[in-house]
């Protein structure tokens, strides 16, 4: 099992408890994301991604993440490709390299 310092490990955001973020206001979601960043943001293996719980998101959540320069992610098989605003896991390396 790799350690959290291994180059094979990426740490990103996913929330605190599978909360339904798609129903949050911009301010609520912004505070929620900031709390997550406060916990993981200084870790050397942190990457600016946010994996949506159950894939639930909204234009509000996507915009809050965009403003914070965090890449929204759905990890639900290949269903991600139907969303323009959400990255599929196989595209994340390309996104990282372009930033």
């Amino acid at each position: 099992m790799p350690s959290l310092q291994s180059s094979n490990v990426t740490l990103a955001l996913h929330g605190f408890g599978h909360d339904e973020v798609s129903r949050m206001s911009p301010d609520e979601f912004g505070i929620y994301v900031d709390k997550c960043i406060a916990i993981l943001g200084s870790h050397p293996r942190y990457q600016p991604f946010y994996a949506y719980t159950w894939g639930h998101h909204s234009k509000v959540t996507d915009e809050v993440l965009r403003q914070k320069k965090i890449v929204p992610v759905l990890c639900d098989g290949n269903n991600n490709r139907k969303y323009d605003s959400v990255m599929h896991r196989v595209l994340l390396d390309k996104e990282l390299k372009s930033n």
Side-chain angles (χ1 to χ4, degrees):
M1 179 173 189
S3 79
L4 290 179
Q5 301 299 327
S6 169
S7 63
N8 295 323
V9 172
T10 297
L11 296 179
L13 309 176
H14 187 58
F16 294 108
H18 282 197
D19 297 295
E20 182 57 73
V21 299
S22 66
R23 296 183 184 154
M24 292 182 181
S25 72
D27 289 339
E28 288 174 314
F29 186 58
I31 291 167
Y32 187 78
V33 170
D34 288 343
K35 287 180 182 179
C36 294
I37 293 170
I39 293 169
L40 288 179
S42 63
H43 192 283
R45 303 304 306 156
Y46 169 76
Q47 294 294 329
F49 303 133
Y50 186 97
Y52 284 117
T53 307
W54 308 295
H56 296 181
H57 64 102
S58 67
K59 289 181 180 181
V60 167
T61 57
D62 290 349
E63 182 57 28
V64 168
L65 294 181
R66 195 171 355 275
Q67 290 173 2
K68 294 179 179 292
K69 299 187 186 316
I70 297 173
V71 179
V73 179
L74 283 176
C75 294
D76 64 345
N78 286 325
N79 294 331
N80 301 334
R81 296 180 192 281
K82 65 185 174 185
Y83 298 105
D84 291 336
S85 63
V86 183
M87 299 295 294
H88 187 270
R89 182 69 185 139
V90 298
L91 300 176
L92 293 179
D93 284 339
K94 181 178 178 183
E95 179 70 18
L96 274 178
K97 290 175 185 172
S98 70
N99 287 334

